[in-house]
Amino acid sequence: MPEFPDYPPALRSGKPSNFEASRRTAASVPVTPLRKQLKDQAKAAKASGKKKKKNADNQTVPGWELTVGIEIHAQLNTRRKLFSPAATSFNDLPNSHVALFDVAMPGSQPLFQPETLIPAVRAALALDCSIQPVSRFDRKHYFHWDQPSGYQITQYYHPFARDGAIMLLARDGIASEDGERIEVAIRQVQMEQDTAKTTAQPGEVQWLDFNRVGLPLIEIITQPVIHHPATAAAFVRKVQMLLNSVDSCVLGMEAGGLRADVNVSVCRTEDAASGKLGTRTEIKNLSSFKAVEDAIIAERDRQIAVLEAGGVIAGETRGWSLGSTETRRLRGKEGEVDYRYMPDPDLGPVVIGEDLVQHLRSSMGMLPDAEINELVDKYGLSSKDALSLMMLDDGARIQYFYNVLDALEGWLGVNEATPDQRHTQLAANWCLHELGKLTEQSSDLGMTAEGECDIPSADLAAILSHLHRREITAKVAKDLLWGVFRHEIAPGNVTQTIESSNFWFKELSEQDYAALADQVTAGENKVLGEFLRFKQGKVKAYPQGKLMFLVGKMMRVGPEQRMDPASAEKVMKTRIEKVYLPALEATE
């Protein structure tokens, strides 16, 4: 019989050869990038032949009101499990970090790890909750192979935090029906254990990895106050951003560090006015923001169809898969009695001192809303770009932006008193959009929590400093970025590469631009006539598209490496107004 490190042989499930294979697995199953998941989902929807409304147009159904409550399970950023000293593990060998209590060995008892409380309290404070001085653990009984003890330890009756709230703004992506802002009330936040990781195999075989069992989670439970699917997705997105900003949960939904369950019910509009809610169903384990919105829409429409046909909604647990067009039944909905909650006799109360709460509150730093406001007001970013930087790479992309900006301002000699925001907008654009183009070739930029990746921030800053000074063209800058990404340019060698390859921008003179403009406008009287019609007031809109058509011709005819599109546009516009239009008017 094979031996397993720190893993009792009696706890193997299924055929020994399966576990032998899982033991030899060097790492956990790779995470499928969200971009690929969404592409697969779109393909599946297309193959099904079912056309759906765009979600923006599918937030309400006339005559019906939707009500949603959300439960979010987030893995805490700790080194130890909740009730054992075993290390937390995400990519190590399966079943290599398992204590006796994790697998319910007879005689083993839970030992609460105080360090797990710190990120939990930080999370609750970020959610504007009231921290309870005393909280207690309960046992929630159910039998499944991923829970060896036959119960989960949680805080159903006496959670450590209550009565929180999150303010969602229009920029967070809430439904337009909710206006500029909406407050989502949080009923409670409780600590609990995670379950083992189950990997399905052919032949009704399940592989179990007990590295995950006992990992510390917080469960965030909202009040049922959300009425639009987009707002529900925005809430989950904002919770992830908040938890990351206070270092409570560093793995997002795509990496499996955060999962959402949604409770969905519908009722007729006249019943909603009296406060009457419909029978709710729960959709489990949603793993992306899009899945949250799509699953709610699908379940809402299913319930309405059942009720309009004279049927009755059964309280049950349902599932959702990427690419689906409807939810599927998993099991009947368990109630409080079914779980047989009871106080855990092996664990004492958790006492949280006010001094700890105040210390954590004062050391949390800037929360996302304040940081986004600063990015918009101080750095000149759009709220959309600011939010995207905050969300990407589990919050590491914004730190990368700050690193690039610091290095860029060092190159340019910029200080905080400088009112010009062009360099900050340039840095944001490249950190967001140009790096995004690289991910089309590689889903992993190697981004670290410290804000570094395969494109060193110092090298991107060097590229942008030369671009900002108009010492290189945008095309050359993009070529240099790819060179750094492909390791064709050694770290710190950007300027040397420009010098050795003679990439410096030697721009054409104004006379040269004018000569090119004259060349490309020859025979384009019909196009120039559009500008004349605008000048004469016959059309209201300036023909910007025609202008860019002519500029494009200039860029194709002239030496691109010596041309700046902005300069070409400026010269072309001037020539049209001062030379070409007077000539056209003289011929009329």
Side-chain angles (χ1 to χ4, degrees), residues 213-380:
V213 75
L215 289 184
L217 302 177
I218 52 170
E219 181 176 4
I220 302 162
I221 304 174
T222 75
Q223 299 287 7
V225 295
I226 298 174
H227 300 291
H228 301 100
T231 301
F235 172 80
V236 179
R237 185 163 50 242
K238 191 153 192 176
V239 166
Q240 175 174 307
M241 189 164 56
L242 278 166
L243 299 187
N244 185 276
S245 70
V246 296
D247 201 31
S248 291
C249 176
V250 295
L251 292 177
M253 293 195 87
E254 184 178 349
L258 188 143
R259 307 186 293 274
D261 304 336
V262 294
N263 293 282
V264 178
S265 68
V266 299
C267 64
R268 296 192 181 274
T269 306
E270 55 268 24
D271 293 331
S274 63
K276 180 181 177 181
L277 298 179
T279 302
R280 67 182 174 92
T281 59
E282 183 178 27
I283 310 171
K284 301 286 286 187
N285 292 327
L286 299 174
S287 58
S288 73
F289 309 125
K290 180 173 173 55
V292 170
E293 185 171 2
D294 288 348
I296 291 173
I297 290 173
E299 179 59 14
R300 176 202 65 191
D301 293 348
R302 183 193 73 85
Q303 291 188 20
I304 291 174
V306 169
L307 293 172
E308 288 183 337
V312 177
I313 302 300
E316 59 190 6
T317 299
R318 302 183 69 84
W320 174 264
S321 300
L322 278 173
S324 298
T325 56
E326 56 188 32
T327 61
R328 66 185 187 280
R329 186 182 189 278
L330 296 178
R331 57 184 179 272
K333 182 63 183 168
E334 300 90 342
E336 181 178 338
V337 175
D338 297 314
Y339 283 134
R340 303 185 310 283
Y341 283 97
M342 59 169 282
D344 193 302
D346 295 329
L347 289 164
V350 178
V351 179
I352 304 175
E354 183 61 24
D355 56 342
L356 174 63
V357 175
Q358 292 304 322
H359 171 72
L360 293 178
R361 191 191 305 275
S362 64
S363 60
M364 280 200 308
M366 187 181 296
L367 292 179
D369 276 341
E371 188 166 8
I372 290 174
N373 289 340
E374 182 175 86
L375 289 169
V376 171
D377 298 337
K378 180 179 178 180
Y379 297 113

Side-chain angles (χ1 to χ4, degrees), residues 7-22:
Y7 179 61
L11 293 166
R12 287 174 294 164
S13 172
K15 300 177 182 179
S17 60
N18 292 330
F19 276 89
E20 205 169 340
S22 77

Side-chain angles (χ1 to χ4, degrees), residues 83-84 99-105 108-111 149 151 153 193:
F83 297 115
S84 81
L100 295 178
F101 176 75
D102 298 335
V103 286
M105 286 296 288
S108 61
Q109 288 191 318
L111 180 63
S149 61
Y151 60 84
I153 301 178
Q193 300 168 291

Side-chain angles (χ1 to χ4, degrees), residues 116-269:
T116 62
L117 191 62
I118 304 303
V121 173
R122 281 202 303 261
L125 291 173
L127 299 171
D128 200 26
C129 290
S130 173
I131 306 301
Q132 305 301 295
V134 179
S135 60
R136 293 180 172 84
F137 288 105
D138 311 303
R139 290 183 180 180
K140 174 183 177 181
H141 292 84
Y142 68 93
F143 294 94
H144 200 262
W145 57 54
D146 61 4
Q147 188 62 267
S149 61
Y151 60 84
Q152 179 190 37
I153 301 178
T154 182
Q155 292 186 317
Y156 185 77
Y157 289 110
H158 303 283
F160 77 95
R162 294 182 184 272
D163 303 326
I166 288 182
M167 183 64 70
L168 299 177
L169 307 175
R171 71 188 183 196
D172 295 316
I174 62 176
S176 59
E177 292 82 355
D178 284 319
E180 288 299 311
R181 61 181 61 213
I182 180 175
E183 184 175 87
V184 178
I186 295 171
R187 190 180 80 194
Q188 65 187 56
V189 181
Q190 59 200 43
M191 298 184 74
E192 61 186 29
Q193 300 168 291
D194 206 346
T195 57
K197 180 179 179 180
T198 303
T199 305
Q201 299 297 316
E204 298 185 355
V205 172
Q206 306 290 335
W207 287 358
L208 301 178
D209 181 5
F210 289 98
N211 282 349
R212 199 179 76 176
V213 75
L215 289 184
L217 302 177
I218 52 170
E219 181 176 4
I220 302 162
I221 304 174
T222 75
Q223 299 287 7
V225 295
I226 298 174
H227 300 291
H228 301 100
T231 301
F235 172 80
V236 179
R237 185 163 50 242
K238 191 153 192 176
V239 166
Q240 175 174 307
M241 189 164 56
L242 278 166
L243 299 187
N244 185 276
S245 70
V246 296
D247 201 31
S248 291
C249 176
V250 295
L251 292 177
M253 293 195 87
E254 184 178 349
L258 188 143
R259 307 186 293 274
D261 304 336
V262 294
N263 293 282
V264 178
S265 68
V266 299
C267 64
R268 296 192 181 274
T269 306

Side-chain angles (χ1 to χ4, degrees), residues 496-563:
Q496 294 90 319
T497 301
I498 296 172
E499 183 68 41
S500 62
S501 302
N502 194 26
F503 284 157
W504 296 116
F505 180 42
K506 301 178 181 65
E507 189 173 10
L508 296 178
S509 67
E510 187 172 337
Q511 291 77 13
D512 292 331
Y513 278 119
L516 285 172
D518 294 343
Q519 178 182 345
V520 301
T521 53
E524 294 287 1
N525 286 352
K526 183 177 180 180
V527 174
L528 294 174
E530 295 295 321
F531 296 92
L532 183 59
R533 293 180 66 211
F534 172 75
K535 182 179 179 181
Q536 294 170 343
K538 296 180 180 179
V539 294
K540 294 182 179 180
Y542 183 80
Q544 183 68 22
K546 301 296 184 182
L547 175 64
M548 298 314 297
F549 164 73
L550 296 173
V551 171
K553 288 186 68 176
M554 286 179 67
M555 298 298 295
R556 290 191 295 273
V557 170
E560 185 180 6
Q561 70 277 11
R562 296 188 59 194
M563 298 178 66

